[in-house]
Amino acid sequence: MHEAFQIRDRIWQVQEARGVYFTVIQGDRRAIVMDTGHGIADNRGYVDQLLSVPYIVINSHGHPDHTQGNYQFEEVYIHPLDLPAYENSNTEARRAESYDRLRKENGLLEEGKEAFVKRTPAVILPLKGDEVYDLGGLTVRVTELPGHTKGTIGLLVEEERLLIAGDAFNPDMWMFVYNHDTLAILEKTLTRALGLPFDTYLGGHTIHEIRKEFLEEVRNNVRTGRVDWDSYEVILGQETYQIRYSGEHGTSQIAIPLETALELKEREESGFNTMLLHGVKERKVSDPHGSILPPIYQTSAYAHESAESIADVFAKKKTGFNYTRISNPTIAAFEERMTELERGIGSIACASGMAAITYALLNVLKAGDEFIASAGLYGGTINLFHGFAQFGIRVRYVEPNHWRELENAVNERTRLIFTETIGNPGLIVTDIRKTAEIAHAHRLPLVVDNTMASAYLVRPLELGADVVINSTSKYINGTGNSISGVVTDGGTFDWDAERFPQLEPFLAQGRNCYLAKLRGDMLCNHGGCLSPQNAFQNIVGMETMGLRMERECSNALALAEHLSKVPGIIVNYPGLEINESYETARKQLRNGYGTILTLRVGSRERAFALMDALKLPFVVSNIGDIRTLVVHPASTMALHSTEKEKEDAGVFEDLIRVSVGIEDIGDIIADFDRALHSMK
Ligand SMILES: *Cc1c(COP(=O)(O)O)cnc(C)c1O
């Protein structure tokens, strides 16, 4: 169990939670958990308390003086966000003014930091990253948010609820959501990094409703002229907005039933294989006969007990099923498992990986738009993107991990960035985190095809990607018996109607808007749905995915190491230390380096001869099977690619791609040795 929960056994009570701090009491002891900087000057009410109780300061801003523990009280009001518009706003003036008032009332500044600390036995936490503090029996976990905002949150668990304080919850910070998607980042941190569910209540609204209202308020408050104490300016895009400040907006707490949090936390901490079998949430046996696998609902449509019932499902007044092209209980069970696997907010299963890529992109692209893709993609995807030209959608290719070229490729028509975690068959590992940073700096979503790595090796959504696609025909199914693909949304991208007008009718659904359109438009109207039977095959397959991947990755590494010692063969495998992707792979991939390696053997003739001499591998243009497969990409998948595309993809005439299976490694190596020997 996570240390942050140890406190459950103690009787801490949250006395109040207001603004950016909350008070905790245990018997006659009291502590305040607060965040510095932004809040300190604004929450006059608690200065008294600061002076009389031990308190915990959670540095929220990553300001250098704070993070180094070199706390300067005067600098509290320096705003940390790297948003130049904000620096120019009147906020600082406002803070200075409020600070002045505090100084007069409390005589704080004159006495300086030392006196301040002496008077209040403060614990000032120089925070970086993610840490757990035990402060006299009070365990606090503090997490620095990734991304642009340097906000920090403190988590404190008491009997019923898990509480979180921090700037991200200060309602007057929500304007940054518009630019930085603070809450989405926070949500990601909580749900993924900490494995906690996320639900925010504020005056009975969910955070996304508030966000909308707040933006409304931002838009309704466009004024020019004098800025007074109760308002400040912020520049969003080209426009300057006047924001009314109100400390009364609400509290900055998230309340999560602790039982739920703990249960989820425990599940979260169960390993990959346990998660695959038992789920992140509780996977109840709901079948009346106790079937341990979801039944195959092999039906095209669903009968309703009344005219009104079917009308209600169509009108989305109640949930239910109408037609399998749109949804089906077996497919839904598979989608749910994919969502758990990739840690998204939802998934949509399609007839194939290609259908998933097509829908994921056409969902948000229209004629006149451009997008950037990494060079060296899977051949089928390159062919697809060729075809996008006829819809007036243009792709620009940039080498993976070439940051300047990526920046330069962005223009006002760019709408998204697309990449693969591991290129196929070039095997270049994309630095997802860095790619996401660049995408987000340009307000672009990052869509990642994770087929080649699978969630066993990496979860792109955890590294900042917004949407992830899997050809589940590969490692998810694993045994080569069904074609299918899945789009999983991280719910993190802030889609706007201006650049993505086709999403407008769905924007009311908040962060579900992308998936709502994908199901309601792409899947429903283009019709590339998965069959219930194949969804079932995938569910069965994915339950053993961890075991298969473990074996396939270790076999691939052993084969790559072995063949790299054979003269006349050049082995490409990200797990070899000499490989150009080794560093990125080591940093980014868990559990292994993938199951694919390629061999250059000198000529196309030698490549064909070796493939024909091998007895054990099947000659198959597929990957991710439990059987070892070999293929000659230049004459198969890349047959329709241009010379430039082949070069970018690392497709050479003498190259063989090997997808390593679960056979006994001694047999695989012996077969390669024998085949190579026979060619001499
Ligand atoms: C196989 C593959 C696809 C296409 O998936 P299908 O299920 O065959 O349509 C897309 N991307 C990558 C990286 C693949 O390997």
Side-chain angles (χ1 to χ4, degrees), residues 551-552 555-556 595 625-629 659-663 668:
R551 171 75 165 227
E552 289 167 17
N555 276 359
T595 79
D625 199 314
I626 40 175
R627 287 150 276 252
T628 298
L629 314 174
S659 171
V660 183
I662 63 169
E663 297 94 342
I668 302 175

Side-chain angles (χ1 to χ4, degrees), residues 39-151:
I40 198 163
D42 293 340
N43 289 281
R44 294 207 297 139
Y46 74 153
V47 170
D48 293 344
Q49 300 184 56
L50 288 185
L51 299 177
S52 60
V53 297
Y55 70 102
I56 298 155
V57 176
I58 297 174
N59 161 34
S60 61
H61 288 338
H63 184 277
D65 278 337
H66 295 187
T67 45
Q68 287 152 27
N70 182 16
Y71 190 78
Q72 299 286 324
F73 204 35
E74 293 120 296
E75 292 188 71
V76 159
Y77 57 80
I78 292 176
H79 205 277
L81 291 176
D82 50 351
L83 188 68
Y86 193 86
E87 302 285 47
N88 296 334
S89 76
N90 275 1
T91 307
E92 279 191 36
R94 176 170 64 81
R95 292 206 195 300
E97 194 184 319
S98 92
Y99 198 78
D100 253 6
R101 197 171 57 225
L102 287 180
R103 176 163 42 172
K104 283 195 201 95
E105 283 169 16
N106 299 292
L108 288 176
L109 206 62
E110 284 73 31
E111 293 174 38
K113 172 193 159 201
E114 256 173 60
F116 178 72
V117 174
K118 212 185 317 157
R119 205 195 279 196
T120 62
V123 186
I124 293 161
L125 306 176
L127 292 173
K128 260 201 167 146
D130 188 14
E131 287 168 70
V132 176
Y133 293 87
D134 184 351
L135 302 160
L138 178 68
T139 311
V140 178
R141 178 176 180 140
V142 188
T143 300
E144 191 174 4
L145 297 180
H148 291 288
T149 55
K150 289 281 173 40

Side-chain angles (χ1 to χ4, degrees), residues 38 42 94 170-176 214 232 245-246 249:
H38 190 72
D42 293 340
R94 176 170 64 81
N170 197 350
D172 75 344
M173 292 290 284
W174 288 349
M175 63 197 164
F176 294 109
F214 192 74
Y232 50 82
Y245 171 78
S246 163
H249 253 300

Side-chain angles (χ1 to χ4, degrees), residues 413-665:
R413 286 184 299 279
T414 314
R415 290 295 175 269
L416 63 83
I417 297 181
F418 179 92
T419 192
E420 290 173 354
T421 22
I422 306 179
N424 174 8
L427 305 181
I428 292 181
V429 180
T430 309
D431 186 333
I432 303 288
R433 199 186 288 280
K434 183 87 202 236
T435 311
E437 267 170 28
I438 292 178
H440 296 159
H442 294 280
R443 293 173 60 216
L444 298 170
L446 176 64
V447 180
V448 175
D449 179 342
N450 196 31
T451 305
M452 283 281 287
S454 86
Y456 178 75
L457 296 184
V458 62
R459 291 193 174 102
L461 298 179
E462 287 180 348
L463 300 176
D466 300 289
V467 173
V468 65
I469 299 165
N470 280 279
S471 162
T472 43
S473 322
K474 315 292 169 55
Y475 300 109
I476 307 292
N477 174 284
T479 52
N481 65 41
S482 301
I483 295 292
S484 59
V486 173
V487 182
T488 303
D489 183 14
T492 40
F493 192 73
D494 199 3
W495 305 98
D496 60 276
E498 193 191 316
R499 293 181 308 150
F500 302 96
Q502 62 278 53
L503 271 172
E504 180 137 36
F506 299 89
L507 286 181
Q509 306 202 33
R511 66 186 190 135
N512 289 317
C513 66
Y514 176 87
L515 286 174
K517 178 169 190 303
L518 215 146
R519 195 180 294 283
D521 175 12
M522 303 312 296
L523 195 67
C524 179
N525 299 331
H526 296 241
C529 62
L530 184 60
S531 82
Q533 175 71 45
N534 283 1
F536 178 80
Q537 305 279 37
N538 290 343
I539 290 171
V540 175
M542 75 191 286
E543 294 189 333
T544 57
M545 176 191 177
L547 284 179
R548 283 186 281 108
M549 288 300 287
E550 187 182 335
R551 171 75 165 227
E552 289 167 17
C553 290
S554 75
N555 276 359
L557 179 62
L559 184 64
E561 280 171 349
H562 179 77
L563 293 177
S564 62
K565 292 182 209 118
V566 177
I569 295 189
I570 303 169
V571 180
N572 183 8
Y573 183 65
L576 297 177
E577 274 178 45
I578 49 156
N579 193 277
E580 65 168 305
S581 278
Y582 179 73
E583 272 313 309
T584 317
R586 201 176 54 85
K587 194 173 66 185
Q588 184 166 290
L589 307 180
R590 306 163 296 192
N591 308 324
Y593 296 92
T595 79
I596 313 283
L597 52 118
T598 63
L599 313 173
R600 291 190 68 179
V601 293
S603 68
R604 182 188 177 116
E605 289 66 38
R606 280 181 64 76
F608 275 41
L610 177 59
M611 285 169 61
D612 291 344
L614 286 165
K615 289 204 168 124
L616 196 139
F618 289 84
V619 178
V620 170
S621 72
N622 191 16
I623 56 166
D625 199 314
I626 40 175
R627 287 150 276 252
T628 298
L629 314 174
V630 290
V631 74
H632 180 250
S635 59
T636 54
M637 291 95 69
L639 188 62
H640 303 292
S641 298
T642 63
E643 286 309 312
K644 169 84 172 83
E645 284 164 351
K646 280 195 244 181
E647 189 188 316
D648 287 342
V651 173
F652 305 98
E653 283 300 317
D654 65 341
L655 183 119
I656 300 172
R657 186 185 69 190
V658 187
S659 171
V660 183
I662 63 169
E663 297 94 342
D664 297 286
I665 185 63

